[in-house]
């Protein structure tokens, strides 16, 4: 089948970005929003049509990798060529559906949430640019094209996080996200260059072919005890860890909450933060066959990040920051699943589980953020301490938010239960320590999410300045749709479509894993209900009893302060300041001395070319006399 029409999925959002960006001031603001939303609806329908056609026409045993569109961009040698194109395979087709669905919900929601904002048209232009960047990233035919869109995602996220540029905190958050991810992307670029140098290709199909140069022809070069392939894959993972905010490159993500809440949903749900997971999944055959040590690193980094973020989330008061750390924890889950997985068959359970969780997480996390935006829209505050008793004022937001909380807690039969259960099974079969950590994180997740839920919708109602009310239909309709997807997406036979080797994977229900995971979630919910369902002194007493741990967690274990100390005191102080002094006084001093000496001598002799004839006669006569005296003396 001809899939060349899929180029419209990429062209539409970039055209919308140019139209809305250039004509935003000349057309009505609401028309700009409707134009962007209509365009997203069109590419969402195209993405669903592509997915239906692709999966229904593929064979049961294997779905082929199709290059739907491709042009030559740069050619270095006969073999080393960089193409720009569209690659369709189970992974990219699934991501097309996820990205366009969540982006469409965010666009519709934003029509109500951002109404009246001075930068309304600019906001929708940036949304289109971001969507274009993410779509280009997931359909890239080669790793260099992915890197180009990877950087474009960074630029567009910078614009969205810093949307309220009049706020210093928003500007600082945008710069922080940009700088941290650029630092990580340096490792990504070096890894790309290393990998392409030894394999002589950028093409994904060639790189991930089990008979290709990256896998069938192992690289024997070793540096510091690790092969060149392992170094390349670890550096590539460094880029993924930056985008997916893995510890210790996570510091930008909580501050990214300075952007509008719909932006938080877009960045934290199905798009930017899962780019790292997508990157590892895209190159998974290389990780599995040629660099298994890298997978171990990925598993442990993901496991620590999920636990670290879950503990911090238990102490935060800003509801968007709770959800931000929740995202960190869930991305850690996905990384763990990839790290404990292998290639093909039962060994690939973790791979399938990771992407299944990515799929389900996109819907319930977008629902959580948009639900939080609905609450903020009603009470004009981000803090839990300013909320309470909202279930009677906001019934739709309350029910949909409760569904999202139950889903992320892993309560059956909601989608989070199925995807998280598969991850725990894969972890149990590979590493019991990692399984124990992830099982404990499941309970902590249920606790902090229902701490959030009870503080917002139950507890005692504070003295609101005005009576809260339900959000308009443009905001509640996306909530209802995402709630339905959160309920139903777990029943998608994901193991038949997206697997590590392209072949359907046989899965079975593991009661010995599922029952304890549900029980620990129920315990977490129960503890949250006792502490937060009604206002009481128990939370304060518990915080005082665990004062040191609580303080550390509340301040995010002072990781930001450590970064500030390293950058300001060590890099800028001990290293950069002496270098700057040397540059200013020695390097610049020598150049300034040369320049000043030239100016001095130029000033001294400039009268020799003054244009006055008498001075020329004087110099000529003096020169003749001087030469005559010298000749007479030396002879």
């Amino acid at each position: 089948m001809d899939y060349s029409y899929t180029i419209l999925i990429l062209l539409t959002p970039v055209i919308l970005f140019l139209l809305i960006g250039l004509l935003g001031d000349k057309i009505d603001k609401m028309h700009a929003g409707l134009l962007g939303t209509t365009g997203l609806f069109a590419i969402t329908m195209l993405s669903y049509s592509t997915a239906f056609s692709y999966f229904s026409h593929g064979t049961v045993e294997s779905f082929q990798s199709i290059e739907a569109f491709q042009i030559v961009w740069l050619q270095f040698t006969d073999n080393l060529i960089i193409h720009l194109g569209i690659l369709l395979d189970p992974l990219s087709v699934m991501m097309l559906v996820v990205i366009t669905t969540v982006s469409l919900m965010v666009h519709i929601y934003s029509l109500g949430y951002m109404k009246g904002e001075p930068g309304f048209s600019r906001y929708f232009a940036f949304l289109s640019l971001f969507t274009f960047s993410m779509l280009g990233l997931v359909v890239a035919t080669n790793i260099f094209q992915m890197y180009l869109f990877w950087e474009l995602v960074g630029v567009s996220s910078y614009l969205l996080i810093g949307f309220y540029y009049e706020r210093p905190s928003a500007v600082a958050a945008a710069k922080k996200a940009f700088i941290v991810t650029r630092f990580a992307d340096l490792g990504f670029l070096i890894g790309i260059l290393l990998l392409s140098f030894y394999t002589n290709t950028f093409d994904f199909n060639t790189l991930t072919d089990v008979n290709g140069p990256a896998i069938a022809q192992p690289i024997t070069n070793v540096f510091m005890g690790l092969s060149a392939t392992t170094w390349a894959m670890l550096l590539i993972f460094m880029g993924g860890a930056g985008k997916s905010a893995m510890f210790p490159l996570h510091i930008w993500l909580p501050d990214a909450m300075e952007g509008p809440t719909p932006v938080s949903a877009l960045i934290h749900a199905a798009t930017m933060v899962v780019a790292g997971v997508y990157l590892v999944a895209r190159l998974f055959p290389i990780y599995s066959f040629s660099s298994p040590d890298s997978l171990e690193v990925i598993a442990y980094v993901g496991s620590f990040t999920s636990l670290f973020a879950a503990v911090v989330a238990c102490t935060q008061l800003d509801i968007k920051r709770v959800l931000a750390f929740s995202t960190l924890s869930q991305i850690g889950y996905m990384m763990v699943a990839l790290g404990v997985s292998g290639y093909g068959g039962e060994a690939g359970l973790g791979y399938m589980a990771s992407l299944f969780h990515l799929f389900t997480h996109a819907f319930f996390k977008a629902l959580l953020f948009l639900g939080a935006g609905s609450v903020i829209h009603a009470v004009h505050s981000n803090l839990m301490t300013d909320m309470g008793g909202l279930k009677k004022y906001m019934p739709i937001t309350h029910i949909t938010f409760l569904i999202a909380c139950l889903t992320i807690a892993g309560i059956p039969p909601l989608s989070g239960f199925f995807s998280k259960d598969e991850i725990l099974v894969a972890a149990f079969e590979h590493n019991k320590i990692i399984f124990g950590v992830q099982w404990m994180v499941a309970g902590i997740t249920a606790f902090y999410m229902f701490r959030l839920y009870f503080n917002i919708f139950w507890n005692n109602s504070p003295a609101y300045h005005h009576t809260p009310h339900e959000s308009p239909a443009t905001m509640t309709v996306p909530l209802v749709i995402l709630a339905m997807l959160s309920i139903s997406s777990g029943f998608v036979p994901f193991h038949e479509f997206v697997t590590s080797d392209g072949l359907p994977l046989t899965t079975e229900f593991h009661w010995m894993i599922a029952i304890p995971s549900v029980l620990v979630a129920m315990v977490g919910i129960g503890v949250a209900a006792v502490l937060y369902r009604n206002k009481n002194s128990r939370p304060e007493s518990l915080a005082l009893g665990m004062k040191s741990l609580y303080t550390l967690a509340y301040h995010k274990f002072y990781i930001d302060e450590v970064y500030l100390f390293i950058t300001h005191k060590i890099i800028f102080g001990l290293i950069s300041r002496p270098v700057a002094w040397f540059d200013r006084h020695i390097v610049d001093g020598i150049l300034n001395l040369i320049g000043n000496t030239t100016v001095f001598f130029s000033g001294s002799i400039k009268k020799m070319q003054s244009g006055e004839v008498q001075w020329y006669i004087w110099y000529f006569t003096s020169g003749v006399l001087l030469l005559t005296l010298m000749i007479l003396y030396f002879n």
Side-chain angles (χ1 to χ4, degrees):
M1 183 174 177
D2 183 14
Y3 288 98
S4 58
Y5 68 87
T6 51
I7 189 64
L8 294 174
I9 297 175
L10 280 187
L11 291 180
T12 302
V14 76
I15 291 171
L16 288 171
F17 163 67
L18 295 173
L19 280 176
I20 298 173
L22 295 175
L23 302 178
D25 294 335
K26 299 179 181 178
I27 58 177
D28 182 75
K29 289 182 178 180
M30 188 53 66
H31 288 160
L34 290 172
L35 178 62
T37 305
T38 303
L40 253 294
F41 178 78
I43 65 172
T44 302
M45 293 301 100
L46 279 177
S47 297
Y48 274 86
S49 174
T50 301
F52 177 79
S53 175
Y54 179 84
F55 287 118
S56 63
H57 286 83
T59 62
V60 176
E61 286 73 27
S62 177
F63 295 101
Q64 298 298 314
S65 178
I66 301 169
E67 291 183 350
F69 178 85
Q70 185 165 268
I71 60 172
V72 175
W73 183 49
L74 291 174
Q75 181 166 349
F76 299 104
T77 66
D78 291 338
N79 296 323
L80 194 57
I81 303 171
I82 299 178
H83 294 94
L84 293 179
I86 293 178
L87 177 68
L88 297 180
D89 67 352
L91 181 56
S92 62
V93 171
M94 180 271 292
M95 290 299 295
L96 281 179
V97 170
V98 169
I99 292 168
T100 54
T101 301
V102 174
S103 185
L104 177 61
M105 294 300 104
V106 169
H107 273 74
I108 297 172
Y109 184 92
S110 298
L111 291 173
Y113 188 87
M114 299 298 290
K115 186 178 181 180
E117 288 285 350
F120 191 83
S121 298
R122 173 169 53 91
Y123 170 82
F124 275 90
F126 290 165
L127 280 187
S128 296
L129 177 63
F130 185 89
T131 305
F132 163 70
S133 305
M134 271 307 303
L135 292 172
L137 188 155
V138 300
V139 298
T141 61
N142 60 80
I143 196 170
F144 206 89
Q145 180 187 344
M146 176 187 273
Y147 181 76
L148 295 177
F149 282 97
W150 189 276
E151 294 303 311
L152 194 55
V153 167
V155 172
S156 50
S157 64
Y158 168 82
L159 296 172
L160 286 169
I161 294 169
F163 176 78
Y164 297 117
Y165 57 85
E166 69 279 0
R167 300 179 187 172
S169 58
V171 174
K175 289 193 295 184
K176 188 175 186 179
F178 191 80
I179 292 169
V180 172
T181 53
R182 290 298 72 70
F183 174 76
D185 292 349
L186 174 62
F188 185 17
L189 179 59
I190 296 171
I192 291 173
L193 296 176
L194 267 176
L195 187 62
S196 62
F197 175 78
Y198 285 106
T199 61
N200 203 35
T201 184
F202 294 108
D203 184 69
F204 281 132
N205 283 333
T206 305
L207 285 171
T208 57
D209 184 358
V210 293
N211 298 313
I215 298 174
Q217 302 169 18
I219 302 167
T220 56
N221 301 63
V222 175
F223 177 70
M224 294 179 63
L226 297 177
S227 69
T229 303
T230 299
W231 278 112
M233 302 316 292
L234 285 173
L235 287 166
I236 289 173
F237 171 66
M238 179 180 172
K243 272 289 190 291
S244 291
M246 292 289 97
F247 183 90
L249 299 172
H250 67 283
I251 58 171
W252 66 269
L253 193 64
D255 290 355
M257 297 298 98
E258 291 293 336
T261 302
V263 168
S264 302
L266 192 61
I267 290 177
H268 293 73
T271 51
M272 182 172 173
V273 293
V274 298
V277 178
Y278 176 82
L279 173 64
V280 175
R282 173 58 71 195
L283 297 173
F284 186 76
I286 307 177
Y287 279 104
S288 184
F289 284 109
S290 303
S291 185
D293 292 340
S294 300
L295 285 182
E296 288 291 326
V297 172
I298 291 170
Y300 280 104
V301 169
S303 183
F304 180 81
T305 301
S306 64
L307 177 61
F308 169 85
V311 171
V312 173
C314 293
T315 63
Q316 301 302 298
L317 298 178
D318 186 315
I319 63 174
K320 289 175 67 177
R321 288 185 181 269
V322 173
L323 296 179
F325 281 101
S326 168
T327 299
L328 289 178
S329 186
Q330 296 303 304
I331 298 296
Y333 253 96
M334 299 175 204
M335 287 294 189
V336 164
L338 288 172
V340 300
S341 188
Y343 184 83
E346 295 300 322
L349 175 63
Y351 176 95
M352 184 278 296
S354 174
L355 297 175
F356 191 20
H357 198 57
L358 184 157
F359 181 73
T360 60
H361 174 266
F363 304 126
F364 65 70
K365 184 51 62 69
L367 175 56
L368 286 167
F369 269 105
L370 296 185
S374 182
V375 170
I376 294 168
H377 185 265
V379 302
H380 305 293
S381 174
N382 289 24
L383 298 177
M384 292 185 207
T385 52
D386 297 330
M387 302 171 187
L390 289 177
K391 61 186 177 67
K392 61 182 177 181
Y393 301 111
M394 308 177 71
I396 298 176
T397 301
H398 167 239
I399 294 298
T400 55
F401 200 91
L402 175 60
I403 290 171
C405 288
L406 290 169
T407 306
I408 194 173
I411 302 302
L414 304 174
S415 60
F417 164 74
F418 295 104
S419 57
K420 189 177 290 187
D421 181 67
E422 298 288 3
I423 292 175
L424 291 174
V425 170
F428 182 81
E429 293 177 352
H430 178 82
N431 188 310
K432 300 298 188 293
I433 295 176
I434 290 179
F435 164 77
V437 171
Q438 299 313 297
W439 180 77
M440 182 168 58
V441 169
I444 299 173
T445 300
F447 169 75
Y448 69 69
M449 286 309 306
F450 276 85
R451 168 182 177 263
L452 179 66
Y453 165 74
F454 286 123
N455 272 311
I456 295 173
F457 296 103
W458 291 74
N459 217 312
N460 294 338
S461 301
Y464 291 115
H465 296 296
H466 62 279
T467 304
H469 58 83
E470 187 60 271
S471 300
T474 52
M475 296 170 64
T476 54
V477 168
L479 295 181
V480 173
I481 294 173
L482 288 169
M484 293 170 62
L485 290 172
S486 298
I487 295 170
S488 61
S489 58
F491 297 100
V492 173
F494 204 82
H495 58 279
E496 296 181 6
F497 301 122
V498 184
T499 56
S500 60
D501 58 355
L503 300 175
L505 177 64
T506 301
T507 60
E508 59 183 49
F509 196 76
H510 295 77
W511 290 102
M512 297 304 294
I513 302 296
I515 292 175
S517 68
V518 172
L519 288 177
V520 76
M522 295 299 292
V523 169
I525 294 171
V527 172
V530 170
L531 293 176
Y532 301 104
R533 189 173 183 273
N534 295 304
K535 193 170 183 63
N536 59 75
S537 61
R538 298 189 195 100
E540 289 77 9
S541 300
L542 187 63
L544 287 173
M546 307 172 66
K547 186 175 181 180
S548 298
L549 178 60
Y550 182 88
T551 303
L552 283 172
Y554 180 76
H555 292 284
K556 297 164 285 188
F557 291 90
Y558 297 98
I559 302 297
D560 286 75
E561 287 75 7
V562 171
Y563 271 100
L564 286 174
F565 175 79
I566 293 172
T567 53
H568 287 193
K569 299 296 184 181
I570 298 178
I571 296 178
F572 296 155
L574 297 179
I575 300 175
S576 297
R577 189 170 289 121
V579 172
W581 183 92
F582 181 84
D583 180 68
R584 188 179 303 112
H585 293 88
I586 306 301
V587 178
D588 289 353
I590 292 173
L591 292 175
N592 291 337
L593 178 62
I594 294 172
N596 292 334
T597 303
T598 302
V599 170
F600 173 78
F601 282 107
S602 298
S604 302
I605 63 175
K606 65 182 179 180
K607 288 186 177 181
M608 295 177 65
Q609 294 292 328
S610 64
E612 299 179 4
V613 177
Q614 60 269 32
W615 279 107
Y616 293 162
I617 295 172
W618 165 254
Y619 292 135
F620 178 77
T621 304
S622 299
V624 169
L625 290 174
L626 182 61
L627 289 172
T628 302
L629 291 173
M630 290 176 63
I631 292 170
L632 292 174
Y633 177 78
F634 287 110
N635 287 337

